[in-house]
Amino acid sequence: MKQLLTIIIFLIHFGNSYAQDSVTYQPNQIRDFKIVPLPAIGSNPANGWLFGVAPSATWRMGNPEDTHLSNLVGNFLYTTKKQWIFSARSNIFLSEDKWILWGDWRYFITSQPTFGLGSDAPNAPTENPNQTGVLWGEQQMDFSWFRFYEAVLKRISDSKFYLGIGYHLDIYSKIENFLDTETGPSELRFSHDYYNAQLGFNEDRYTLSGITINGLYENRDVAVSPYEKNFALVSYKINPTFLGSDKTSSTLLLDYRHYFNLSEKRKRHLIGVWGLGNFLVSGDLPYMSLPAIGYDTFGRGGRGYAQGRFRGETMVYAETEYRFPLQKEKETFGGTVFINASSFGSKMTQEKLLENINAAYGVGLRVMINKENRTTITADYGFGKKGNSGFYLNVNETF
C-alpha cells in the first residue's frame, strides 16, 4: 500500500496537480523537471542564421524554498556559413544550494573573422601601422574547437558565497587563415599566424589545459532570467604545461551583475548592469585563447559586433539593459533597450587598455514561453561603431 501511494504521488506531481503540503522533498532528488525541446532558429553576425535543435531544461534538486532552479541549455546546430555547433552548458544547484556544479562542453567545426589585436582595428584589411608586414582588419579563419569545462563549488556555511575548483580544456585545431585577394593585400602575414609565431605557438593547432580557483556570490532569484539581486564571480585560471598546455600561463576573470527593480508589482520592470574583466596575468596565451568580445560562457556579450571582433591580452566590458513588460497584466511579451562598451589592450601592438573604447546600443523583444521557469526567446538588434551591427536570436536573457 505504501509503494502504491508513492507511485500515485509521483504521477500526480508530474501532472502538476499535486498539493504542496503533501510533498516530501528528498535531498538531491530531481523535481519539477521541465524540458523545452525547441526547434532552433537563431542568428548572430559570427554564424549567420542557425538551424537545428536547442533543448532547454530546468529542474530542482530540493525544496523550492531553499533550492534554486537548475538549468541546462543544449545546441545542435548548422549555420548558413557551413558551421556545425554542438554544445551543452549547465548550472546545477544541489539540495539547499549547498553545492553548485558548472559545465560547459562544446565541439565546433566553424569559421570566424578576426581583425587583429586591440580595440582600434578597421573593418577592411590593411597593414597594421604597429606591426610591419602584418594584416589588420578582417581576416577569415576556419577551425575546429573542442572545450570541456567542469567546476564544483561549495557553499560557505549559510551564506551566498561559494568556493571551488574546476578543470578547463580548450583544443583549437585545423586552423586555416584566408583572405579574399580582391579586398586586401595578400602579401601580408595574418594576425593570428604572426602572433603565434612570435610567441612560439603552432599556427594550426594548440591546447590550453589547467585548473580554476573560483569564488562566487550567487544571490539571483532565477539564474537564466533574473528579476532581482546580484551575482559576482572571481575565477583564476592556471594553465601549466604538465596538464597539457603548450605554454604555462595564468588569467583572471572578474564578472559582476546587478538587477535593480523599478516596480515591486512588476519585477520584470528592471535595469540590469553587467561588468566583465578578463586579464592575462602571467605567461603567454595562444591567439584564440586571448580575451575577446563575445567569448563569455553563453557568447552574449558585445551585441552590435561579431564574436571575436576585438581581442587582446586585457579586456574590460560593461553593459546596461533596461527591461520592461509590454502587456498590462500578462508576462508573455517584453522589451529591452541596451548599451554596452568594451576596451582591449595589447602589449604586442603597444595599445593600452581604455585607450580606445567601442560602444554599441540596441533594442530587443522578449517572448516568455514558460512563465514558471522564465524560459524566454530573445531577439535583439545592435548597432556598433564603424558600421558594425548584428541581429541576435537566442534563448534566455543576455545576462
Side-chain angles (χ1 to χ4, degrees):
M1 186 68 180
K2 184 177 179 180
Q3 292 177 338
L4 178 60
L5 181 60
T6 301
I7 294 172
I8 292 173
I9 292 175
F10 178 85
L11 293 175
I12 293 175
H13 163 70
F14 278 96
N16 293 316
S17 59
Y18 63 90
Q20 290 292 331
D21 57 3
S22 68
V23 177
T24 300
Y25 292 96
Q26 299 297 326
N28 299 324
Q29 179 184 11
I30 295 177
R31 307 193 68 91
D32 304 327
F33 182 84
K34 292 181 174 60
I35 185 168
V36 183
L38 284 174
I41 301 177
S43 177
N44 62 64
N47 305 114
W49 284 90
L50 306 92
F51 303 93
V53 180
S56 174
T58 59
W59 67 95
R60 291 190 193 273
M61 302 292 288
N63 192 323
E65 294 182 1
D66 57 24
T67 305
H68 275 79
L69 273 174
S70 298
N71 71 284
L72 182 147
V73 177
N75 286 293
F76 306 91
L77 306 170
Y78 183 72
T79 81
T80 53
K81 294 188 177 183
K82 300 180 180 180
Q83 305 161 338
W84 291 96
I85 296 175
F86 307 103
S87 68
R89 301 175 180 93
S90 58
N91 192 19
I92 301 172
F93 295 86
L94 299 189
S95 181
E96 299 178 12
D97 290 349
K98 290 182 178 180
W99 294 85
I100 299 178
L101 310 178
W102 284 340
D104 184 357
W105 306 350
R106 308 181 191 185
Y107 182 65
F108 292 179
I109 302 174
T110 188
S111 60
Q112 188 176 105
T114 184
F115 293 78
L117 301 179
S119 303
D120 199 34
N123 291 329
T126 185
E127 185 174 12
N128 192 326
N130 298 313
Q131 294 177 318
T132 303
V134 180
L135 275 166
W136 209 30
E138 185 173 357
Q139 306 150 60
Q140 294 295 327
M141 297 176 61
D142 286 343
F143 59 94
S144 295
W145 179 18
F146 172 80
R147 165 174 284 188
F148 178 82
Y149 284 15
E150 279 292 336
V152 56
L153 297 96
K154 175 71 170 66
R155 185 175 178 179
I156 306 304
S157 187
D158 293 327
S159 71
K160 301 291 185 180
F161 290 95
Y162 295 78
L163 292 176
I165 61 172
Y167 173 73
H168 62 271
L169 172 67
D170 286 297
I171 301 175
Y172 294 90
S173 61
K174 300 179 182 178
I175 303 170
E176 295 183 7
N177 296 270
F178 59 96
L179 183 68
D180 185 348
T181 56
E182 296 180 359
T183 63
S186 58
E187 72 278 5
L188 302 179
R189 292 207 68 184
F190 294 104
S191 296
H192 170 273
D193 293 351
Y194 176 81
Y195 172 92
N196 278 0
Q198 289 293 108
L199 297 180
F201 292 104
N202 289 332
E203 297 178 10
D204 60 352
R205 178 186 174 91
Y206 38 80
T207 299
L208 193 70
S209 172
I211 61 173
T212 58
I213 302 171
N214 306 292
L216 172 70
Y217 180 74
E218 176 58 270
N219 198 31
R220 298 173 292 183
D221 54 342
V222 175
V224 297
S225 181
Y227 283 171
E228 56 187 344
K229 301 182 180 178
N230 51 353
F231 165 94
L233 170 67
V234 178
S235 182
Y236 184 65
K237 287 186 178 182
I238 304 169
N239 312 301
T241 54
F242 68 81
L243 285 179
S245 295
D246 292 344
K247 297 183 70 174
T248 296
S249 63
S250 63
T251 62
L252 177 65
L253 174 68
L254 307 174
D255 189 337
Y256 182 75
R257 310 174 189 198
H258 204 114
Y259 307 89
F260 300 92
N261 288 126
L262 301 179
S263 171
E264 282 299 319
K265 293 183 179 180
R266 300 293 297 277
K267 288 192 173 182
R268 194 177 183 183
H269 194 220
L270 61 91
I271 291 177
V273 178
W274 181 19
L276 186 67
N278 201 351
F279 310 95
L280 175 62
V281 177
S282 65
D284 297 312
L285 291 171
Y287 188 89
M288 290 298 289
S289 295
L290 290 169
I293 196 76
Y295 270 74
D296 50 282
T297 300
F298 288 93
R300 302 297 179 87
R303 284 173 293 178
Y305 300 99
Q307 186 184 57
R309 177 62 178 83
F310 307 109
R311 189 182 305 270
E313 292 93 336
T314 58
M315 163 192 169
V316 292
Y317 177 81
E319 180 162 354
T320 299
E321 183 170 79
Y322 171 43
R323 302 175 189 170
F324 50 91
L326 290 176
Q327 297 166 287
K328 187 175 181 180
E329 301 292 339
K330 297 182 179 180
E331 298 293 340
T332 304
F333 294 101
T336 182
V337 294
F338 61 87
I339 183 170
N340 63 60
S342 63
S343 181
F344 291 79
S346 172
K347 59 185 179 181
M348 184 167 284
T349 61
Q350 301 178 351
E351 181 179 341
K352 296 180 180 179
L353 189 66
L354 301 180
E355 183 177 334
N356 295 290
I357 297 175
N358 291 295
Y361 63 93
V363 298
L365 176 68
R366 302 290 181 264
V367 182
M368 190 176 294
I369 58 176
N370 188 307
K371 296 177 178 59
E372 185 176 349
N373 57 25
R374 301 182 196 166
T375 302
T376 305
I377 303 297
T378 66
D380 301 308
Y381 202 95
F383 302 86
K385 292 173 62 177
K386 301 177 181 178
N388 288 276
S389 64
F391 175 66
Y392 307 81
L393 185 61
N394 288 299
V395 177
N396 293 329
E397 291 291 352
T398 301
F399 67 93

